[in-house]
């Protein structure tokens, strides 16, 4: 992998990740952009103890542009985009309309391929490995920023999810705090560790799932399963079998096998609802240990956390979506329409 860092016309950082070491990236952003001004701030909810990002400047972000005006495609002639060069393998840049900025963190866009009509599932194993390496590098770089407490790499795919740009891409949020979802897991880890005299909760969950009926696919270094208490109609958790706290901890064997397992998982998701159905909308979310202090979680150290990816769709059956209505949105109590065992069986049935 070759990494080349440059600046866009408004001062934002852009990084090319290339498969070939001899690739030269010297294209200049020719757009007449003024320096980006954001109004992002983080407000803490005194009743719930969580945080809300207020970012009013995002109201003006680009919304469903036609394919020939996509800002994530390479620049071509006088058609100038967020990527100055005429081609790329993987590129990462600071979001022009970030939810988090400055002392409130940072938001980046990750473009998986220059092919506007592709999806992550269409990537080769070599390309998918390059994305993994980019995620890992950005996690390392962002973790050193003084305002960053946790790094979250994710992909939203499909208009039903709320995606406003059709080009295959994901995002990275660098939060200035430990997110509520992670804090919940850390509290459970702490309680389990104390109750069992030191047993790791993630290890126990993985061991139990691998011995059960909800395994979707398994490699030498990775395992994917539908969790016992899945929140979403089709939800899969992907774990490295050797517990590590973040992407930086993966060894070469796990990195090599990841594209094989993950690409197969994504391709199965696109076959859940049958041939001729639209591509399955999904969210793919990496859970990594926070880089901030863990004093709020007594007895827990950073290595107690287990890196894992959650992949889920909001589609519950053909032509029908799972909406977060009263119980889910009002009380955060999920109601799942598809039994996890049935979801796992379906994902095994659609193996390629």
């Amino acid at each position: 992998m070759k990494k080349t860092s440059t600046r866009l016309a408004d001062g934002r950082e852009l990084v090319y990740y290339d498969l070939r070491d001899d690739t030269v990236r010297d294209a200049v952003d020719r757009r007449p952009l003024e320096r980006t001004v954001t109004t992002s701030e983080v407000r803490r909810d005194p009743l719930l103890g969580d945080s809300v990002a207020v970012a009013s400047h995002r109201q003006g972000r680009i919304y469903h542009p036609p394919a020939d005006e996509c800002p994530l495609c390479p620049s071509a002639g006088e058609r100038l985009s967020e990527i100055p060069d005429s081609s790329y393998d993987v590129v990462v840049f600071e979001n022009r309309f970030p939810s988090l900025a400055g002392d409130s963190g940072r938001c980046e866009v990750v473009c998986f391929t220059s092919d506007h009509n592709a999806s992550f599932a269409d990537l080769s194993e070599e390309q998918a490995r390059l994305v993994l390496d980019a995620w890992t590098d950005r996690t390392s770089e962002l973790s050193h920023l003084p305002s960053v407490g946790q790094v979250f790499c994710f992909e939203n795919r499909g208009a039903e999810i709320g995606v406003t740009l059709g080009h295959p891409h994901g995002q990275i949020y660098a939060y200035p705090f430990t997110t509520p979802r992670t804090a919940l897991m850390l509290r459970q880890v702490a309680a389990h560790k104390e109750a069992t005299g030191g047993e790791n909760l993630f290890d126990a969950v993985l061991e139990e799932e691998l011995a059960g009926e909800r395994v979707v696919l398994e490699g030498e270094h990775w395992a994917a399963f539908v969790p016992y208490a899945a929140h979403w109609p089709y939800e899969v958790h992907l774990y490295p079998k050797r517990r590590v706290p973040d992407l930086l901890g993966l060894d070469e064997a796990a990195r090599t096998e990841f594209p094989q397992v993950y690409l197969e998982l994504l391709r199965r998701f696109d076959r859940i609802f049958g041939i001729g159905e639209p591509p399955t909308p999904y969210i793919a979310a990496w859970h990594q240990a926070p880089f901030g202090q863990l004093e709020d979680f007594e007895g827990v150290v950073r290595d107690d956390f287990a890196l894992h990816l959650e992949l889920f769709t909001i589609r519950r059956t053909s032509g029908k979506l799972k909406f977060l209505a009263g119980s889910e949105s009002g009380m955060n109590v999920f109601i799942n329409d598809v039994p996890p065992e049935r979801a796992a069986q379906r994902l095994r049935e659609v193996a390629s």
Side-chain angles (χ1 to χ4, degrees), residues 43-52 177-180 183 187 296:
R43 298 184 180 182
R44 188 165 180 81
D45 186 321
L47 294 180
L48 298 179
D50 59 9
S51 299
V52 176
F177 48 76
T178 297
T179 61
R187 283 195 284 272
D296 291 338

Side-chain angles (χ1 to χ4, degrees), residues 132-328:
L132 175 64
D133 290 342
W135 282 331
T136 305
D137 181 72
R138 298 316 303 160
T139 297
S140 176
E141 291 289 332
L142 293 171
S143 71
H144 290 97
L145 296 179
S147 63
V148 172
Q150 184 175 353
V151 178
F152 175 47
C153 306
F154 65 100
E155 179 191 1
N156 297 328
R157 189 239 201 162
E160 300 95 326
I161 297 293
V163 175
T164 58
L165 297 175
H167 196 103
H169 72 288
Q171 299 181 66
I172 302 175
Y173 277 23
Y175 298 101
F177 48 76
T178 297
T179 61
R181 185 78 181 278
T182 303
L184 284 174
M185 285 189 274
L186 289 170
R187 283 195 284 272
Q188 290 297 101
V189 168
H192 186 84
K193 190 174 185 179
E194 181 179 8
T196 60
E199 182 182 69
N200 183 272
L201 178 59
F202 287 107
D203 291 349
V205 167
L206 182 58
E207 181 180 359
E208 182 175 349
E209 291 290 1
L210 288 178
E213 60 180 315
R214 290 179 297 275
V215 175
V216 174
L217 59 90
E218 184 178 356
E220 183 179 354
H221 303 284
W222 293 87
F225 57 87
V226 177
Y228 171 73
H231 288 55
W232 298 94
Y234 291 92
E235 173 184 335
V236 175
H237 293 193
L238 177 62
Y239 277 69
K241 290 185 175 180
R242 182 178 68 87
R243 173 166 43 91
V244 295
D246 54 37
L247 290 164
L248 300 170
L250 294 174
D251 60 21
E252 183 57 31
R255 293 181 183 280
T256 298
E257 187 181 79
F258 170 77
Q260 305 163 25
V261 176
Y262 188 49
L263 290 172
E264 171 62 18
L265 195 55
L266 291 179
R267 290 162 187 164
R268 291 191 192 190
F269 253 60
D270 272 344
R271 293 193 291 267
I272 292 174
F273 303 105
I275 298 174
E277 287 291 320
T280 301
Y282 66 73
I283 293 175
W286 280 110
H287 291 269
Q288 305 192 78
F291 289 96
Q293 298 298 314
L294 297 177
E295 65 268 10
D296 291 338
F297 313 101
E298 187 174 352
V300 173
V301 297
R302 195 167 184 275
D303 285 343
D304 287 333
F305 194 87
L307 167 76
H308 61 285
L309 181 141
E310 290 188 19
L311 175 68
F312 61 90
T313 180
I314 63 171
R315 186 179 293 164
R316 56 187 175 89
T317 189
S318 180
K320 297 180 181 179
L321 301 181
K322 165 65 177 177
F323 291 102
L324 299 189
S327 185
E328 292 89 353

Side-chain angles (χ1 to χ4, degrees), residues 20-79:
R20 292 174 56 95
D21 289 337
D22 60 352
T23 303
V24 176
R25 297 295 185 187
D26 55 7
V28 176
D29 186 2
R30 295 182 284 125
R31 295 174 297 171
L33 298 180
E34 296 181 358
R35 184 165 292 275
T36 300
V37 178
T38 63
T39 56
S40 176
E41 64 172 309
V42 173
R43 298 184 180 182
R44 188 165 180 81
D45 186 321
L47 294 180
L48 298 179
D50 59 9
S51 299
V52 176
V54 180
S56 59
H57 62 276
R58 285 174 53 80
Q59 287 281 34
R61 66 188 186 275
I62 299 171
Y63 187 80
H64 291 301
D68 60 356
E69 296 179 16
C70 175
L72 306 185
C73 288
S75 293
E78 295 306 309
R79 182 189 169 284

Side-chain angles (χ1 to χ4, degrees), residues 16 18 23-25 73-75 83-91 114:
Y16 294 99
D18 286 295
T23 303
V24 176
R25 297 295 185 187
C73 288
S75 293
I83 295 89
D85 217 325
S86 59
S87 67
Y88 63 85
D89 292 333
V90 174
V91 69
S114 60

